[in-house]
Amino acid sequence: MTTHTTAPETPSTPSTGSEPTGIVPIPAHIGRALATGGAVLTVVSTFLPWTWTSDFPGDLTLYGNPGGLQLLVLIGGTLTALLGLASHGVKQLGWLVPAGGTGALTLAALGTFGTAWYTIIAITAELGGLVHLEPGAWVLAAGTLIMLTGALAQPFERPVSEPADPDDTRRDQLRHNARNKLAVVRAALASGTPAPARALPTYAEILVIIAAMAIGLTVFTYGISTPHDESELFIGFLIVVGFCFAALLKAGLVGRVSAITSKHRNITMVGAFVAAAAFPFTQSDDQYATIGVYILIFATVALGLNVVVGLAGLLDLGYVAFLGVGAYTAALVSGSPSSPLNFHVPFWASALLGALVAMIFGVLIGAPTLRLRGDYLAIVTLGFGEIFRLAVLNMDGTSGPDVTNGSNGISAIPNLNVLGFDFGQEHTFLGFTIARFANYFLLMLLITLIVVVVFRRSSDSRIGRAWIAVREDETAARAMGINGFRVKLIAFALGATLAGLAGAVQAHVTYTVTPEQYQFAHVVPPNSAFLLAAVVLGGMGTISGPLVGAALLYLIPAKLQFLGDYQLLTFGLALVLLMRFRPEGLIANRRRQLEFHENTEAPEVLSKAGV
């Protein structure tokens, strides 16, 4: 006969009445109060002068008029204060943290603290000592320290309920369930979990989409308009935007907005392109519209590569060659005096011709190589990219036929003239004057819209599902009757066509096409390495992911030129950190989230996405 001895009951952590804490050993509710109060003090400091001289970028000497880095700290401090109030259970702010928890509060506080202390250190170093700090800077230092102390007191994890003992009596089981319920209540109080957000009416969801597009346009315009000689401002911008985005992501607000945009996909797409079309009208000159049109070219080519890599799962390391094929084709028939063909066709014909020639190259390269997989396919495509560059380099009339002018390339490509509209001249619309690059920005935006529609229709079609099936498991897909080689060849040809279309516009924007523009790894994007990084960084298989990734990968190196030789090192470290903490990309679909986070159950992920 076996006797069962019941062990003495050991109370769980929540039942002792102690509240879980984070790094700083103070109660979480006191930490939330400190974080909120420190954030309010930080906001107040932005309306006070931080230094006495305007030599520091942004003019931080004024009362009641935040400028430069003060404005960025004001945004971060305001978000931290709102998250702190939401974690205190303010019902009106429950929509800000639909996923609950206090992780968003900690991230927002870290971003605000980093920007504030970076500013303080920069003022001290550049102006020559702490004597150059005004009282507002000391208030800022105190407020951010209080805020960070309170944020670091928040618990990392919620208490886990104890499993029930199957040998317990009915009375013991009831007592155990009561302890677990108490633990859940205390965990909710400690983490500030709000009540589930109620569904919004349709008009409110459309307003949310409009607000999201307006915020996106504002952030993009602010980042792209940062002067090159004010590197401190751009670094602060990166810190604030990065941590605030991570905070809103942790809070679940980004997921909920993504669910709303997915529900109204057509409205979202129209709103996004209306917001993008408004960008040139926010600029007083053509300086930053130049960056904008190059970002669109880069983003459009990255979206075409997303068909090959993101949907079909083909690792193409020579994709930039298709961009070069389209650019050289359009340049040869552009009427340029340096073109050996001395031939001119309308733009629509040169764009279609560039896309068609790129598609032919895609089929010719893909047909004999797409039976390879993985690393072998990557090596072959890398070889194709180098072969293309060397071929156009040697077609100079000496080493080969006179087609591309060799290293000199094709220059003096004329501006486009479509139906009497000269893209090289300034034009006035509704009182706004837009110059050459703004004209090309709007044209490239139209090309991007075409590529987005093609990508969306393709990914939702039968061939798109076949691409995804081949990407996940080609052997299983073939067993289900899918012709793997055929669907991969279609993806390769479609991706090449979209790149050729973008290349036709690039030739007219840059005036000149030369072989060194189409290397595998080049200092200035687009190139194959940066294109692939844009797809992976933004989110494979999505529409907005490569667009965001391409914008970041073009804008950040352009603004970090002051780092000199350390530019690529800093940029590479940032990519490593992002891939460590967000391997699925900035904007990832739910399938890839589950692939990279296997320990997370699907229902929990979907609920955080607002579904």
Side-chain angles (χ1 to χ4, degrees), residues 530-540 545-546 548-554 556 571 574-576 578-579 582-588:
F530 272 70
L531 287 170
L532 185 60
V535 174
V536 176
L537 169 68
M540 296 170 58
V548 173
L552 291 176
L553 288 182
Y554 191 93
I556 293 177
F571 189 62
L575 288 180
V576 170
L578 184 62
M579 289 296 100
R582 186 75 177 172
E584 67 272 25
L586 293 174
I587 304 176

Side-chain angles (χ1 to χ4, degrees), residues 589-601:
N589 56 31
R590 302 185 188 109
R591 181 186 288 108
R592 295 197 66 80
Q593 283 182 325
L594 294 177
E595 289 175 359
F596 284 101
H597 301 280
E598 296 179 354
N599 295 330
T600 303
E601 296 180 0

